[in-house]
Amino acid sequence: MIARRTLLAGTLALPLAARAKAQWDAVVDPRTGTLGAALTEAERAGRPFRILLKPGVFTEKLIVRAPGVTIQGSPGTVIEYGTAAGTPKPGGGTWGTGGSGTLTIAAPDVTLRGLTIRNSFDYIGARRDGAGNGAQAVALAVGREADRTVIDRCVLLGYQDSFYLHTRTLVTDTRIVGGVDFIFGGAAAWFEGCEIVTRYVPGAQGSGYVAAPSTPAAQEFGLVFAGCKLKREAGVPDNSTWLGRPWRAGGNMALLGQAAFLRCWMDAHIHHEGWTWMGYKGSEGDQRRLTPTEARLYEFGSVGPGRGPAGPDRKLLTAQDAKRYTRANVIGF
């Protein structure tokens, strides 16, 4: 007998008996259904849940709350939303940076594959018009509950604060696009074979910062990039983009940013000096700076025209020290 299929909010959901043999627990077509409905079904299932998204644009702002969810895209699958810090929330108030994400992972053991995730907030227009903060607009956020997140063969698109990471994350063969602090947070994260692209912003004095680690001082590793390529959009000038700056979020003195680029190729837009300082408020409300010299920011085996000379702010690991930087040591899975 052919198993009966039910259509739930446009999501193709198979009965339990058929799911054991099926590759997917839900197949979603954006013309007829929503990813949100499939995630609700995943929460009800209470077990690992596999979702296939068909090609098209899902205009949804979502939180993944069910552990063990896999979301697989098809060629042409896009999840997008246009919320930034300072824009109104439904029911009152405004979003903060952390809440601005198009997609937020808030459960452990979640895997994303083959997706384009975009924050479509009009950053260029906000800069032009002086509209509010006009800045932080997260595409993907890996929350504090989201241990062992895997991001594979995805595209993450934003301008400022594109990718926010709090917990252990593996990122492979993924294209990450942004301008200001666009890979940031306190996570221990391993980026392997990724393409990291700095965006062109008309009229900008500089082209921004790749990484902004806010690593706890007691945590050995932060944002580690292995075998990645640092590229730029057309129009981004030479010597205009910093590898990053250490973020002491909220003036928390227990944070001492850690990041490393290992055997990465760098285009000529990367500053010769490599890293720069970031400001924060001290306990008395006074303005202070956390400098690259104080923080834990390193390189090893950089190649390409953006490879700069070693200096006080561009510290190179020794071959012996670089051996500590393995995927197993950094994230443990």
Side-chain angles (χ1 to χ4, degrees):
M1 182 176 71
I2 298 175
R4 182 174 61 89
R5 297 190 178 195
T6 59
L7 195 64
L8 176 63
T11 302
L12 187 59
L14 299 180
L16 188 59
R19 290 183 185 184
K21 297 180 181 179
Q23 184 178 3
W24 306 106
D25 297 290
V27 179
V28 190
D29 188 323
R31 296 170 298 180
T32 56
T34 67
L35 174 55
L39 291 175
T40 297
E41 188 182 353
E43 289 182 53
R44 291 172 181 159
R47 57 173 175 77
F49 198 88
R50 302 156 299 175
I51 301 168
L52 175 65
L53 302 183
K54 292 201 167 184
V57 178
F58 294 81
T59 305
E60 303 181 63
K61 179 176 171 59
L62 299 167
I63 300 176
V64 180
R65 293 189 171 91
V69 168
T70 295
I71 306 175
Q72 171 73 56
S74 305
T77 298
V78 178
I79 304 169
E80 72 168 15
Y81 209 80
T83 302
T87 57
K89 295 170 64 173
T94 58
W95 295 107
T97 300
S100 69
T102 297
L103 184 65
T104 297
I105 311 301
D109 301 311
V110 170
T111 297
L112 308 179
R113 284 198 175 96
L115 302 169
T116 293
I117 304 169
R118 175 170 61 213
N119 192 312
S120 56
F121 172 71
D122 185 7
Y123 178 87
I124 301 296
R127 277 180 53 88
R128 180 192 62 230
D129 301 336
N133 192 350
Q136 299 95 341
V138 174
L140 177 63
V142 177
R144 290 181 172 83
E145 311 88 348
D147 198 26
R148 299 179 300 275
T149 297
V150 175
I151 313 296
D152 180 46
R153 289 168 287 159
C154 290
V155 178
L156 310 180
L157 298 171
Y159 275 91
Q160 181 166 345
D161 295 0
S162 304
F163 191 10
Y164 195 4
L165 304 96
H166 286 285
T167 52
R168 291 186 300 168
T169 305
L170 173 63
V171 189
T172 52
D173 300 317
T174 288
R175 189 170 190 257
I176 307 166
V177 182
V180 178
D181 304 329
F182 63 99
I183 304 172
F184 72 113
W190 181 264
F191 297 79
E192 185 170 317
C194 293
E195 185 176 272
I196 299 165
V197 183
T198 295
R199 303 200 86 156
Y200 172 65
V201 177
Q205 294 300 310
S207 297
Y209 318 84
V210 174
S214 58
T215 322
Q219 181 176 304
E220 183 176 2
F221 300 107
L223 307 177
V224 179
F225 303 85
C228 296
K229 293 183 177 180
L230 277 61
K231 298 184 175 182
R232 54 179 164 172
E233 290 184 343
V236 174
D238 289 353
N239 200 37
S240 66
T241 304
W242 300 96
L243 288 174
R245 52 185 181 172
W247 177 34
R248 184 160 272 165
N252 184 350
M253 298 299 290
L255 301 178
L256 189 63
Q258 201 286 324
F261 289 87
L262 312 174
R263 300 182 180 88
C264 293
W265 183 89
M266 302 178 182
D267 206 347
H269 64 303
I270 297 300
H271 266 291
H272 298 311
E273 295 86 353
W275 307 85
T276 189
W277 60 271
M278 193 170 188
Y280 68 98
K281 284 188 178 180
S283 57
E284 304 293 325
D286 54 317
Q287 289 292 331
R288 301 181 184 181
R289 292 183 176 184
L290 181 58
T291 67
T293 306
E294 297 172 272
R296 300 169 293 163
L297 309 171
Y298 305 108
E299 285 174 77
F300 179 77
S302 298
V303 296
R307 172 191 177 187
D313 292 340
R314 196 160 190 177
K315 294 176 280 190
L316 304 184
L317 293 166
T318 67
Q320 187 63 34
D321 289 337
K323 291 179 181 178
R324 286 284 303 153
Y325 287 80
T326 65
R327 172 177 155 180
N329 284 346
V330 173
I331 58 174
F333 69 94

